Amino acid sequence: MLDIKLIRENPDFVVEKLKLRNEDTSEILKIQEIDKKRLEYIKKSGYLKEYKNKMSDEIGKIKAKKEDAADKIAEMKNVADDIKLLDEELKKLDLEIRNLLYYIPALPGENIPYGKSPEDNIEVRKLGETKKFNYKIRDHLELGKINDIIDFERGAKISGSGFPLYKGKGATLERSLINFMLDTHISRGYIEVITPVLVNRKSMEAAEKVPKFEEDMYRIEPDDLFAIPTAEVPIINIHRNEILKQDELPLKYCGFTNCFRREAGSYGKDTKGFLRVHQFNKVELVTFCTPETSCEETEKMLNDACYILDELKIYYRVIELCTGDLGFSASKCYDIEVWSYAENKWLEASSVSNCTDFQSRRGLIRYKKLLENRKTKTELVHILNGSGLATSRLMVALLEANQTGDGHVLVPKVLRKYTGFDII
RNA sequence: AGAGAGAUGGCUGAGUGGUUGAAAGCGGCGGUCUUGAAAACCGUUGAUGCCUUUGGUAUCCGGGGGUUCGAAUCCCUCUCUCUCUGCCA
């Protein structure tokens, strides 16, 4: 969530930034009005409470002397009622503001390319090699079928469409990819975690997935738990409501989880095979760092994700999202897209976002900042998340790019010690 | 799932109605001593909001509600943790 103080003190700046995202900014005005009222109530209630505290103290002293304080107690009864009414109003205003604030996205960072749609995103890098095939290539569905390594039909029988079943060498390849990615990230300074994949509402709120995106989430009704759409959610919440030490930052985690997305509203789009699924596997990267370092940490994380594709020898590109295409919580975002030879298009395999303090404010994740005069200040950390990477679309690119003329698939060299076989 | 116990600051842990925002210890930070370090000693050390900001004030003792002039302390409720029993990978 945004800082109410920023809206209070610098509303024009906020509106200007939100306009870059093509956001409706009328809510900001509403928030300002309610906030003004709220501050008045806070003051009034504060004064009354100060009086109450003083008088209660006096009553205590009078009673200690065994004297009569009936008239004072009678007066304070009324004051207590007034305070109660004020605080009830205050609570209502607070809730009103929060309910508006929860739907306002993060402000785009500085120097983010302006744009209205994905067409305005900017290609930053293109790496790897394109391949030339002198035979007719098969798409990942066909390759999955003829090698009996991915079975979408039976997955659908078990759960519904979009729940893939990996079999035989397909399952081994998937597991190998995950292990390879984890090992690589661990060796580059990330702490591995295995997290819960069902999380409570508070965790979803801190990650800014709820209430705005509640419809996109699988939810376990009787317990009010959510199936995570990404490991970003549980990993961020490792430190919810905590104050970290400055010298333990940057704190970097990596973790593999299954991810679950209802993909409500996207039916009929990219429905083929792995292109859009309800359950997929992903190794996630999360960094907690100081505001001063979040920009350079974003670049580092991007490199960490790219490194995986370099090693796998996959052809990919990096694009920087324009202001209009930024995700709800992100101030800056890079997407990594892998090339699909069969679909003849780029597929998003990773997204590396700097969410600055947008999530840490909601989840109260802070650190003790050391100041020059030996004092300390508690400040919100910046949180970055990135996929490193999701396997489903990577699998599309990998199978297609490494296919042989007779429908087999060569295993990338770096994976062979994990798979134990060279070819599928 | 049943029975019981508990939740207090970075940590351990005192505190059962009125200078307790909270003893004590540990840890952290600063200093004295020392060639340096350790030890010892001294000092210091929570968060958040609001305001007329070298300060004042309010709120916060798991969450929410209640009783009271006044609640960490009493009552209700929820959540979580631990112990025992049951069940189970």
Side-chain angles (χ1 to χ4, degrees):
Chain A
M1 63 193 268
L2 289 183
D3 187 2
I4 180 71
K5 236 183 205 163
L6 185 66
I7 294 175
R8 185 184 303 149
E9 286 162 11
N10 221 332
D12 297 343
F13 174 78
V14 173
V15 166
E16 188 189 309
K17 284 282 183 187
L18 286 176
K19 276 187 177 157
L20 293 176
R21 271 182 173 269
N22 312 305
E23 275 290 315
D24 172 31
T25 56
S26 60
E27 306 290 287
I28 296 294
L29 215 79
K30 242 192 247 173
I31 290 175
Q32 276 183 280
E33 279 171 28
I34 303 169
D35 180 52
K36 220 178 245 172
K37 223 159 133 193
R38 189 174 147 268
L39 287 190
E40 275 174 37
Y41 277 71
I42 285 177
K43 270 189 236 171
K44 268 194 217 163
S45 159
Y47 289 139
L48 279 182
K49 280 175 187 165
E50 188 181 346
Y51 183 56
K52 179 198 81 175
N53 289 342
K54 271 186 192 144
M55 292 303 280
S56 295
D57 215 46
E58 271 182 46
I59 291 170
K61 279 174 190 156
I62 292 169
K63 287 215 160 178
K65 282 189 259 172
K66 304 248 153 109
E67 286 169 20
D68 181 51
D71 53 333
K72 285 206 162 82
I73 287 175
E75 187 201 345
M76 283 305 105
K77 226 172 207 162
N78 288 326
V79 175
D81 285 345
D82 290 348
I83 290 172
K84 204 171 165 186
L85 282 174
L86 270 176
D87 281 350
E88 270 167 25
E89 272 311 302
L90 197 53
K91 217 172 185 177
K92 270 188 218 159
L93 295 174
D94 225 55
L95 203 70
E96 268 181 67
I97 288 185
R98 291 193 152 250
N99 283 335
L100 291 171
L101 223 43
Y102 289 163
Y103 290 87
I104 293 171
L107 304 180
E110 278 174 62
N111 304 320
I112 306 299
Y114 173 76
K116 293 200 163 153
S117 73
E119 274 112 73
D120 300 317
N121 294 339
I122 288 175
E123 188 175 288
V124 185
R125 294 182 219 170
K126 207 181 262 180
L127 290 157
E129 288 168 37
T130 38
K131 286 187 180 171
K132 290 267 188 289
F133 295 90
N134 51 13
Y135 43 84
K136 192 167 178 286
I137 58 163
R138 300 171 163 94
D139 68 14
H140 75 280
L141 281 183
E142 202 182 342
L143 289 166
K145 208 166 218 167
I146 57 181
N147 292 301
D148 197 22
I149 54 172
I150 304 152
D151 190 336
F152 287 101
E153 286 78 13
R154 288 204 176 92
K157 173 166 72 180
I158 299 167
S159 301
S161 76
F163 289 92
L165 168 69
Y166 298 77
K167 287 165 71 178
K169 286 184 170 175
T172 307
L173 179 64
E174 177 77 357
R175 180 160 51 83
S176 301
L177 261 176
I178 293 162
N179 279 333
F180 160 66
M181 293 193 280
L182 284 172
D183 285 349
T184 305
H185 293 312
I186 292 166
S187 74
R188 290 161 71 92
Y190 289 85
I191 302 163
E192 183 180 358
V193 288
I194 297 177
T195 68
V197 292
L198 296 182
V199 301
N200 59 32
R201 183 170 287 275
K202 279 222 166 86
S203 293
M204 287 299 264
E205 284 171 349
E208 293 284 1
K209 307 298 177 198
V210 152
K212 180 140 179 169
F213 303 106
E214 186 150 349
E215 288 306 298
D216 299 330
M217 307 299 161
Y218 286 104
R219 186 166 154 234
I220 286 90
E221 179 79 46
D223 302 293
D224 201 24
L225 290 171
F226 294 83
I228 56 170
T230 157
E232 169 201 339
V233 177
I235 296 178
I236 284 177
N237 279 279
I238 292 173
H239 295 298
R240 168 153 52 89
N241 257 315
E242 287 185 16
I243 298 173
L244 304 169
K245 289 180 185 139
Q246 184 165 1
D247 57 19
E248 61 184 337
L249 302 175
L251 195 49
K252 301 179 173 194
Y253 291 102
C254 67
F256 159 72
T257 66
N258 302 117
C259 298
F260 306 91
R261 297 186 182 179
R262 288 185 70 221
E263 300 291 350
S266 61
Y267 289 107
K269 217 164 91 183
D270 295 333
T271 49
K272 189 175 163 185
F274 272 134
L275 298 187
R276 189 170 296 274
V277 285
H278 292 305
Q279 177 179 332
F280 61 95
N281 298 320
K282 182 158 63 70
V283 170
E284 181 76 1
L285 307 174
V286 173
T287 297
F288 299 85
C289 65
T290 63
E292 290 77 21
T293 58
S294 74
C295 284
E296 74 181 79
E297 288 297 335
T298 309
E299 301 300 319
K300 280 188 196 165
M301 186 179 278
L302 175 65
N303 287 338
D304 291 332
C306 288
Y307 183 72
I308 299 290
L309 293 171
D310 292 334
E311 289 287 291
L312 290 170
K313 308 262 186 261
I314 300 272
Y315 180 51
Y316 69 95
R317 66 168 186 170
V318 176
I319 57 170
E320 181 176 0
L321 300 197
C322 69
T323 52
D325 202 25
L326 278 176
F328 182 69
S329 310
S331 287
K332 181 186 180 81
C333 181
Y334 293 112
D335 274 3
I336 303 173
E337 300 180 329
V338 292
W339 180 251
S340 163
Y341 290 94
E343 308 304 322
N344 207 32
K345 66 177 176 191
W346 294 104
L347 306 176
E348 182 188 333
S350 171
S351 181
V352 173
S353 303
N354 183 354
C355 296
T356 67
D357 58 10
F358 194 72
Q359 294 167 317
S360 55
R361 182 170 299 109
R362 190 90 178 269
L364 270 186
I365 305 173
R366 297 168 292 178
Y367 75 103
K368 278 257 189 250
K369 182 182 186 145
L370 304 171
L371 301 175
E372 285 172 16
N373 49 4
R374 286 194 224 106
K375 286 189 175 161
T376 57
K377 192 184 156 200
T378 321
E379 190 171 77
L380 296 169
V381 297
H382 277 197
I383 300 177
L384 325 178
N385 70 77
S387 357
L389 311 93
T391 60
S392 47
R393 291 170 191 157
L394 176 59
M395 190 64 98
V396 173
L398 196 149
L399 293 177
E400 287 176 4
N402 293 302
Q403 64 182 295
T404 61
D406 52 1
H408 291 289
V409 178
L410 291 168
V411 176
K413 279 210 178 72
V414 288
L415 289 183
R416 290 181 186 174
K417 65 173 176 193
Y418 291 94
T419 54
F421 50 81
D422 299 354
I423 190 165
I424 294 171

